[in-house]
Amino acid sequence: MITIKNLNKTFAGAVVLNDISTEFENGKTNLIIGQSGSGKTVLLKCILGLFGIDSGEIFFDKKSFQKMNIKQRSVIRQEIGMVFQGSALFDSMTVEENIMFPMQMLTQKGFEEMQVRANQVIERVNLVNANKKLPSELSGGMQKRVAIARAIVMNPKYLFCDEPNSGLDPKTSTIIDNLIQEITEEYEITTIINTHDMNSVMEIGEKVLFLENGNKGWEGSNKEVFNTDNQTVSNFIYSSNLFKKVRKVYRNENDN
Amino acid sequence: MRVFRNIGTYSIMIGKVFGRFTRWSVMKGLIIKEIDSLIIGSIGIVSFISFFVGGVVAIQTALNLNNPLLPKNLIGFATRQSVILEFAPTFISVIMAGKVGSFITSSLGTMRVTEQIDALKVMGINTYNYLIFPKIVALLLYPFIITISMFLGIFGGYVASIYGGFCSSADFIEGIQLDFIPFHISYAFIKTAFFAFILATIPSYHGYFLKGGALEVGKASTTSFVWTSVLIIVTNYIITQLLLTS
């Protein structure tokens, strides 16, 4: 479980996150949604410790990240898996090497043991015949799968995904969403996904946190988010014509 | 103010490079890879430039020896002095700032832009040590390149002098042995060691702390080349002042 208490973050005097408090539960897929520039990525990077925070506290299973020393932070970081927006795969390494990399750096495992584990996760994310390929030889969807495989290879307790669907077609997006949710349930990890893809919200958002100009605008489940009275959230959710039509059909069905 | 902030950030970076070491089994692979791309990959261009510039130095010297009273062995002497004292250590280092420096800045900059450095940080890796330390170690072999440059520069001068008909082989060889001061070699290698550290760390700084996108990677490579060259020239002046003046 990850708990955030009164988190504030500014960049050169500009407030980016203002008094954010929330809780991300274990074994659940938590989504952070909001417009571009609302502070989603900054919040994610603050939780990961990539950005320092101005005030507030972040707790990983009730242990304050701010009160940890470098060694304790390093241990927590080994329990974190991260899927970056652009996958952030190491260009010069093959798929297999990318996935083995965290084990190579952080464990005492022998090469064969690492290879066995890498192949397990490669199989888990349904990557076929890609072990020896370089990231540049893979499609966007396959790169995302490799990134997910690398993120879960160390059996993390926390999984972070920064816009995992960006640049993917709707079908591949759904496959990636489902994969993340399956992994979350299977490994019982705390997953936090940063997205503005409403399909993801509809399909996998067990808990949704809406950010608005750096403030916590709303939070609830994916069932509640589509019927909320909060006008800002509603405007954001139904900003696309497709979703407006879906809402119309849904309301017509309910009226009849 | 910005200059002081940059100096401060650079100093902190150097401190972190030598903190929390990456395990040796991983590090040795990284060092070998860097030796291959930074040192072995530069031998060709350094050899080519050294040979021809050495030749040009010899020809220029020969063409300026109009007085028949001046001995022909001065061509070899001038070539040796120019190549060992300045051309090989300093001129080649400025060229390397363009070749190796730009490569380091753009590769680290691209890693920054594509969030690969963030990915390493999230794993709890000391990114400074993992990314910059192997480059510093690889460039410890930089004097090896300068040795090749010295040899080929003088050899280029020899070939140009003989085949251009400016002096005899015996004159040139006599010239390169004339008034030889072994400390000049030490001076050249002391300079080289400082230049190697500058070549590894200044471009790394510009790449590691890059902000922005692809356009900024290009800009950072140029800025890195300018600052690396400026620091090499300034360091060259200071070391020369300290070691060669009494």
Side-chain angles (χ1 to χ4, degrees):
Chain A
M1 188 167 76
I2 296 171
T3 313
I4 297 166
K5 278 187 183 167
N6 310 106
L7 192 149
N8 290 288
K9 173 73 185 167
T10 55
F11 281 119
V15 178
V16 182
L17 294 173
N18 183 29
D19 200 30
I20 306 285
S21 295
T22 191
E23 214 168 69
F24 300 110
E25 283 177 48
N26 220 10
K28 280 194 177 175
T29 312
N30 304 276
L31 299 189
I32 303 172
I33 61 168
Q35 283 186 329
S36 299
S38 59
K40 303 186 299 286
T41 302
V42 175
L43 176 59
L44 208 68
K45 290 192 172 178
C46 283
I47 302 171
L48 285 162
L50 291 174
F51 288 156
I53 59 172
D54 296 348
S55 62
E57 249 179 314
I58 297 159
F59 296 88
F60 285 84
D61 289 327
K62 294 179 182 166
K63 285 175 269 179
S64 169
F65 189 73
Q66 277 61 45
K67 287 177 184 161
M68 289 177 195
N69 57 33
I70 294 175
K71 219 171 186 181
Q72 288 167 320
R73 283 187 182 194
S74 179
V75 172
I76 282 287
R77 286 212 165 106
Q78 289 174 28
E79 295 175 343
I80 289 174
M82 171 79 189
V83 179
F84 285 89
Q85 192 174 353
S87 299
L89 301 175
F90 303 119
D91 308 320
S92 56
M93 297 182 194
T94 63
V95 165
E96 195 178 70
E97 286 165 347
N98 260 287
I99 296 168
M100 279 161 63
F101 183 78
M103 293 187 281
Q104 216 176 355
M105 294 299 292
L106 307 166
T107 70
Q108 301 292 334
K109 286 179 182 168
F111 182 79
E112 278 179 17
E113 205 181 342
M114 286 193 283
Q115 210 170 24
V116 169
R117 175 66 187 144
N119 284 320
Q120 279 173 357
V121 288
I122 286 172
E123 212 172 290
R124 179 65 195 82
V125 299
N126 303 320
L127 268 172
V128 188
N129 298 329
N131 288 33
K132 301 294 171 200
K133 284 185 178 168
L134 288 169
S136 56
E137 296 171 307
L138 303 175
S139 67
M142 282 174 94
Q143 286 185 9
K144 284 278 153 66
R145 284 171 198 265
V146 179
I148 294 170
R150 187 177 69 182
I152 62 168
V153 76
M154 293 278 288
N155 285 321
K157 283 169 81 176
Y158 318 98
L159 179 65
F160 293 82
C161 307
D162 188 12
E163 307 205 7
N165 300 331
S166 70
L168 300 181
D169 64 88
K171 196 178 171 186
T172 314
S173 291
T174 310
I175 294 168
I176 295 291
D177 278 346
N178 293 337
L179 180 64
I180 292 171
Q181 194 178 29
E182 282 165 24
I183 285 166
T184 303
E185 286 166 6
E186 199 176 306
Y187 291 78
E188 283 193 19
I189 50 184
T190 308
T191 297
I192 302 176
I193 303 172
N194 200 344
T195 187
H196 45 225
D197 183 348
M198 285 311 117
N199 281 321
S200 305
V201 176
M202 204 158 65
E203 294 292 328
I204 60 167
E206 289 172 277
K207 182 204 169 147
V208 180
L209 169 69
F210 177 75
L211 288 185
E212 186 193 1
N213 298 324
N215 295 293
K216 186 167 101 175
W218 182 89
E219 71 180 326
S221 71
N222 62 346
K223 290 181 183 71
E224 293 162 337
V225 77
F226 289 100
N227 299 310
T228 177
D229 296 332
N230 186 314
Q231 207 50 49
T232 323
V233 181
S234 199
N235 287 344
F236 176 73
I237 298 276
Y238 296 109
S239 54
S240 81
N241 286 334
L242 177 67
F243 271 84
K244 276 178 193 154
K245 279 174 188 163
V246 169
R247 178 167 61 175
K248 211 172 171 183
V249 171
Y250 177 76
R251 281 181 180 167
N252 284 343
E253 276 177 4
N254 276 357
D255 290 344
N256 295 333
Chain B
M1 266 320 266
R2 220 176 71 184
V3 173
F4 291 114
R5 200 176 55 220
N6 285 340
I7 293 170
T9 316
Y10 172 78
S11 309
I12 292 167
M13 180 193 89
I14 297 300
K16 287 182 177 172
V17 165
F18 295 98
R20 207 152 52 81
F21 271 79
T22 305
R23 62 174 52 167
W24 176 240
S25 58
V26 176
M27 183 53 83
K28 68 180 176 197
L30 294 172
I31 292 171
I32 290 167
K33 216 165 127 187
E34 295 292 359
I35 289 173
D36 183 47
S37 55
L38 303 181
I39 302 293
I40 310 289
S42 304
I43 291 175
I45 184 76
V46 167
S47 304
F48 179 79
I49 292 171
S50 301
F51 182 81
F52 284 98
V53 172
V56 169
V57 168
I59 294 169
Q60 294 274 19
T61 311
L63 294 176
N64 283 289
L65 289 179
N66 296 323
N67 193 330
L69 293 175
L70 288 172
K72 291 289 181 194
N73 62 19
L74 269 182
I75 299 170
F77 176 78
T79 306
R80 184 201 75 201
Q81 289 297 86
S82 312
V83 168
I84 289 177
L85 291 176
E86 282 311 315
F87 169 71
T90 312
F91 188 65
I92 288 294
S93 294
V94 173
I95 289 166
M96 289 287 274
K99 190 199 176 283
V100 167
S102 298
F103 170 72
I104 292 174
T105 304
S106 55
S107 58
L108 286 183
T110 307
M111 283 187 81
R112 168 63 74 196
V113 170
T114 56
E115 295 180 307
Q116 291 176 48
I117 293 181
D118 285 343
L120 289 167
K121 271 189 181 174
V122 169
M123 290 174 202
I125 293 161
N126 178 0
T127 48
Y128 299 95
N129 181 262
Y130 179 82
L131 296 169
I132 303 169
F133 185 73
K135 293 174 178 39
I136 296 174
V137 176
L139 281 165
L140 286 176
L141 293 178
Y142 185 52
F144 168 68
I145 287 209
I146 298 305
T147 310
I148 292 174
S149 169
M150 285 174 180
F151 175 77
L152 286 174
I154 294 170
F155 182 66
Y158 174 81
V159 171
S161 303
I162 306 306
Y163 290 96
F166 299 110
C167 67
S168 67
S169 173
D171 281 340
F172 193 89
I173 290 168
E174 191 190 334
I176 58 175
Q177 292 172 338
L178 189 71
D179 289 336
F180 177 67
I181 303 167
F183 179 69
H184 284 174
I185 299 284
S186 308
Y187 156 76
F189 283 122
I190 290 168
K191 281 205 304 194
T192 304
F194 279 93
F195 297 161
F197 190 75
I198 291 169
L199 279 172
T201 56
I202 300 294
S204 295
Y205 171 78
H206 281 96
Y208 190 93
F209 292 101
L210 183 133
K211 280 182 186 135
L215 186 66
E216 279 72 19
V217 175
K219 281 182 187 169
S221 298
T222 313
T223 316
S224 148
F225 169 67
V226 170
W227 277 106
T228 310
S229 306
V230 166
L231 276 166
I232 285 171
I233 301 295
V234 171
T235 311
N236 183 36
Y237 175 78
I238 295 168
I239 293 175
T240 307
Q241 183 74 27
L242 288 173
L243 297 182
L244 293 190
T245 55
S246 48

